[in-house]
Amino acid sequence: MTTTTETQIPFRYDVVGSLLRPATLKQARAEFAQGAIDTEQLKQVQRAETKRVVQKQIDLGLKAVTDGEFNRSWWHLDFLWGLTGVGHYDYKQSYKFHGSQTRTDNADLVGKIAFNPNHPFFESFQYLQSLVPAGVLVKQTIPSPTMLFRDNRSDNWHEFYPTWDAYLDDLAKAYHETILHFYELGCRYLQLDDTTWAFLISKLNATTDDVTAHQTYVNLAQDAVHVINTLLKDLPDDLTVTTHICRGNFKSTYLFSGSYDDVADYLGELHYDGLFLEYDNERAGSFTPLAKIWHHDAHKRLVLGLITSKFPELEDVDQVKARIADAAKQVPLANLAISTQCGFASTEEGNVLTEDQQWAKLQLVKRVADEVWGED
């Protein structure tokens, strides 16, 4: 974990992760699914489009760039399927987004969870690393391990482990070793994407009158803190690890609503270098919980997701700057940064805006940051 006096990452203007999939890549994926092209042909299209969007991010002046998550269909499942001990099955129901239906893929345990040295994301990272010039960082995004706690993915843990805690320990170890391998390949900036905290906001608030149900979600929150802090322990000092707290993102729809109040204490316990927090509309509540989330950690930055990635309309610069000033009443301005509230395509379907509108959003993020913080 970074221990420098002045935290440099997350950057003042930062990118969350996913980018809209171009038509060429969508077509190649469809052709691959139909058996019309092979894996190598799909990879060629994927890499050509990755190279293009990496250069676009560099041209925009971003200090950290991603591959747009072009190597995956889902923001989380493709990574989970690559771990040893995780299988792929049909969930037979859509995830409950407001106003849209997803595909029904899911993951489940098929054995003991473990690091996979041949995980396909490692090859994708190496290609991405080869594209960036000096002075620009690759930002690697993967789902949080908490995503294996949800949506029936760990229901059969008892088939492989004597206790739930033994399973959690293996999960933390698998992630720790995975992150270390990314580091060995040159990664210095990694983000764990996480919808579990938004899920818990809704559940903790809804079960206040049901002691048993409420305790179930308290236990889940405590398990999440334990696993995350365990996997973060003893990572290299020059590796920055952040998280993005997501409320769901599919075709510009969402899963969860609610203030961070109910999980602020837990988030404040997490040993991340930075947290990306969705604050693009009233569903996120006020900035009051930021003080608890920051937890007086001089080395931690909170990245305010004040620019929506769901819709093309550009936010008013003065209004965004006013909101940053409001947030700075809870956390020092030096410990704040700005981004879009989420990526642009958590699944390959993508949000309802064009690629030009996507770049305009990221330009707006940079403009606001430059006007608020200047060169940093």
Side-chain angles (χ1 to χ4, degrees):
M1 305 295 288
T2 54
T3 56
T4 55
T5 301
E6 175 71 18
T7 303
Q8 298 298 315
I9 312 170
F11 296 106
R12 295 298 187 193
Y13 48 91
D14 216 312
V15 60
V16 173
S18 64
L19 298 169
L20 293 171
R21 310 301 199 267
T24 50
L25 181 56
K26 288 184 176 182
Q27 179 180 345
R29 280 195 171 276
E31 292 175 353
F32 176 75
Q34 296 162 4
I37 63 173
D38 61 21
T39 303
E40 189 58 35
Q41 290 170 304
L42 173 60
K43 183 188 293 185
Q44 289 175 3
V45 175
Q46 175 192 310
R47 287 191 166 187
E49 291 295 351
T50 299
K51 184 176 183 179
R52 181 181 64 84
V53 297
V54 165
Q55 188 58 52
K56 183 65 177 181
Q57 291 171 82
I58 293 170
D59 292 344
L60 283 173
L62 296 179
K63 298 179 181 180
V65 302
T66 75
D67 60 5
E69 301 181 359
F70 285 5
N71 64 329
R72 56 187 115 168
S73 176
W74 297 84
W75 67 275
H76 56 332
L77 294 175
D78 295 74
F79 175 83
L80 298 177
W81 289 325
L83 294 172
T84 298
V86 178
H88 184 166
Y89 80 103
D90 187 348
Y91 190 40
K92 299 190 183 299
Q93 57 181 302
S94 171
Y95 301 98
K96 303 184 188 307
F97 280 84
H98 295 261
S100 193
Q101 289 192 326
T102 66
R103 288 165 284 134
T104 58
D105 299 309
N106 206 354
D108 64 346
L109 294 181
V110 295
K112 285 198 168 186
I113 195 82
F115 161 66
N116 174 14
N118 298 311
H119 197 298
F121 276 36
F122 295 137
E123 181 183 357
S124 295
F125 173 82
Q126 288 177 291
Y127 176 69
L128 178 58
Q129 185 82 328
S130 74
L131 299 175
V132 299
V136 176
L137 274 184
V138 166
K139 179 177 181 177
Q140 176 64 47
T141 63
I142 61 175
S144 166
T146 64
M147 298 313 300
L148 270 176
F149 299 176
R150 298 255 314 286
D151 299 322
N152 308 105
R153 294 177 192 130
S154 295
D155 285 359
N156 60 345
W157 64 268
H158 53 276
E159 296 179 19
F160 311 108
Y161 291 96
T163 65
W164 175 252
D165 287 344
Y167 162 56
L168 295 184
D169 288 343
D170 262 9
L171 180 57
K173 181 181 179 184
Y175 261 78
H176 183 83
E177 292 178 354
T178 298
I179 293 171
L180 279 180
H181 193 57
F182 274 120
Y183 180 85
E184 291 164 359
L185 295 174
C187 181
R188 296 298 181 268
Y189 186 8
L190 184 139
Q191 177 176 291
L192 299 178
D193 294 318
D194 205 338
T195 62
T196 296
W197 297 107
F199 167 79
L200 283 168
I201 288 169
S202 64
K203 294 299 184 181
L204 288 168
N205 188 264
T207 59
T208 51
D209 295 329
D210 185 334
V211 175
T212 301
H214 189 76
Q215 189 60 46
T216 297
Y217 298 113
V218 169
N219 292 344
L220 175 55
Q222 292 172 340
D223 287 343
V225 170
H226 168 71
V227 171
I228 290 167
N229 283 345
T230 300
L231 74 89
L232 292 174
K233 188 178 180 181
D234 297 327
L235 288 175
D237 287 344
D238 60 341
L239 172 64
T240 296
V241 183
T242 64
T243 189
H244 172 239
I245 309 300
C246 180
R247 297 170 188 274
N249 189 39
F250 178 73
K251 293 184 178 180
S252 297
T253 62
Y254 67 95
L255 275 170
F256 308 115
S257 296
S259 166
Y260 292 100
D261 287 282
D262 291 308
V263 297
D265 286 326
Y266 299 114
L267 295 179
E269 294 176 25
L270 299 174
H271 297 161
Y272 286 119
D273 297 302
L275 293 91
F276 286 69
L277 302 168
E278 297 201 352
Y279 265 111
D280 60 323
N281 59 35
E282 67 282 351
R283 287 190 295 108
S286 75
F287 292 129
T288 303
L290 291 180
K292 288 184 177 180
I293 297 171
W294 176 56
H295 207 57
H296 298 281
D297 185 344
H299 304 296
K300 182 178 294 181
R301 275 186 178 167
L302 303 186
V303 187
L304 305 175
L306 299 173
I307 308 297
T308 189
S309 67
K310 294 183 183 294
F311 306 109
E313 295 79 14
L314 292 177
E315 288 79 355
D316 179 86
V317 171
D318 289 336
Q319 290 181 5
V320 175
K321 290 165 68 174
R323 295 197 71 200
I324 293 172
D326 192 21
K329 297 174 184 176
Q330 306 295 330
V331 175
L333 187 63
N335 294 91
L336 295 175
I338 187 174
S339 72
T340 55
Q341 121 282 344
C342 192
F344 293 88
S346 297
T347 69
E348 61 185 291
E349 288 85 355
N351 285 345
V352 186
L353 68 170
T354 67
E355 189 170 309
D356 284 345
Q357 291 166 338
Q358 166 186 265
W359 300 130
K361 288 283 183 173
L362 291 173
Q363 283 180 317
L364 179 60
V365 168
K366 184 177 186 301
R367 177 188 168 185
V368 171
D370 286 342
E371 292 186 14
V372 172
W373 289 281
E375 283 295 324
D376 188 351

